[in-house]
Amino acid sequence: MTEAAAGSAEPGEPAPGPTEWGDGAVGVGPWEVEHPGEPRPSGETWDPELLDAGDRRNVVDRYRYWRREAIVADLDTRRHPFHVAIENFGHDANIGTVVRTANAFLAAEVHIVGRRRWNRRGAMVTDRYQHLRHHDDVTALMEWAATEGLPVVAVDNLPGAEPLEAVSLPRECVLLFGQEGPGVSDDARLRAARTVSIAQFGSTRSINAGVAAGIAMHAWIREHAAY
């Protein structure tokens, strides 16, 4: 990861990522309560309503009292160069989880392939901070990836798939996941640059699509991210 992508903190400020260790408390109260005697911050970064009422959002402490637009802009300076795509031909309930995980690992974008509507409950509002892109079908996704010069890596337990545990993922790529049950569609699998599988040792033939996405994203993080 480049120095710009890795990000840096000003003296006295918490560094961005990779993990925040907290005491379990969610959010903070009004600025005057949390910071008695300290000057109230001002400027485009800060949200006056949150400064007045407190900030109970699911964001790391670095972004407390920040406007949503300011948070997104800051994340944009550090996003990782991998994308995540998930097929949505049957209104998959796992997409929200995929979006939330992509936000946690700071993916460049999440691509919804197929139906435009998806269940946002699992995203836990992280879709407000994560760039999303819709593609009508696999062809549209593949054409976009080709234009951007991004290889598509399908993640599914299929004959001939390479073990994720033994491969090197491209630094710039699209990680493609299928729907719960049928997995990656035949069209997507045939057009992907490669297919990787996740090792399993129990009796089930597959794992939850949202879990699979998290495992694959973290494999990318272990190989390419600065932490």
Side-chain angles (χ1 to χ4, degrees):
M1 187 165 61
T2 64
E3 292 183 4
S8 61
E10 296 295 330
E13 289 187 1
T19 297
E20 178 182 87
W21 302 100
D23 58 8
V26 178
V28 291
W31 177 270
E32 285 73 15
V33 174
E34 300 288 343
H35 304 274
E38 295 184 26
R40 178 187 174 102
S42 61
E44 290 300 316
T45 297
W46 305 94
D47 188 318
E49 293 185 5
L50 295 175
L51 290 168
D52 287 340
D55 187 354
R56 302 296 178 183
R57 298 172 300 174
N58 179 24
V59 297
V60 296
D61 288 345
R62 171 182 173 84
Y63 295 133
R64 290 297 174 204
Y65 307 114
W66 282 34
R67 297 179 188 272
R68 183 175 67 182
E69 296 79 9
I71 295 175
V72 174
D74 187 68
L75 293 175
D76 285 347
T77 67
R78 302 185 285 107
R79 291 192 191 275
H80 293 130
F82 76 91
H83 295 243
V84 176
I86 183 165
E87 295 183 300
N88 185 35
F89 300 116
H91 201 58
D92 197 326
N94 290 285
I95 293 178
T97 300
V98 174
V99 171
R100 181 180 182 182
T101 307
N103 170 268
F105 293 139
L106 204 57
E109 282 187 316
V110 175
H111 301 254
I112 313 297
V113 184
R115 298 179 59 169
R116 186 177 294 273
R117 295 186 62 184
W118 53 278
N119 188 341
R120 282 172 161 73
R121 177 174 296 181
M124 298 292 289
V125 198
T126 55
D127 52 308
R128 295 182 179 179
Y129 309 98
Q130 179 62 51
H131 295 303
L132 304 175
R133 188 186 297 262
H134 175 259
H135 303 275
D136 289 331
D137 50 31
V138 170
T139 295
L141 170 69
M142 294 297 178
E143 290 177 349
W144 177 88
T147 299
E148 297 296 320
L150 297 173
V152 176
V153 180
V155 182
D156 206 348
N157 286 2
L158 296 168
E162 303 171 88
L164 175 64
E165 299 76 19
V167 303
S168 177
L169 293 172
R171 185 172 181 275
E172 298 181 2
C173 65
V174 178
L175 300 175
L176 172 63
F177 305 91
Q179 297 181 115
E180 187 72 24
V184 174
S185 66
D186 290 340
D187 186 23
R189 176 179 58 83
L190 291 172
R191 300 171 72 168
R194 66 198 302 185
T195 300
V196 298
S197 61
I198 297 171
Q200 298 175 200
F201 303 91
S203 61
T204 182
R205 68 176 299 273
S206 64
I207 58 177
N208 177 273
V211 173
I215 292 171
M217 283 186 252
H218 194 258
W220 188 99
I221 292 295
R222 285 174 60 91
E223 184 173 2
H224 296 293
Y227 56 91

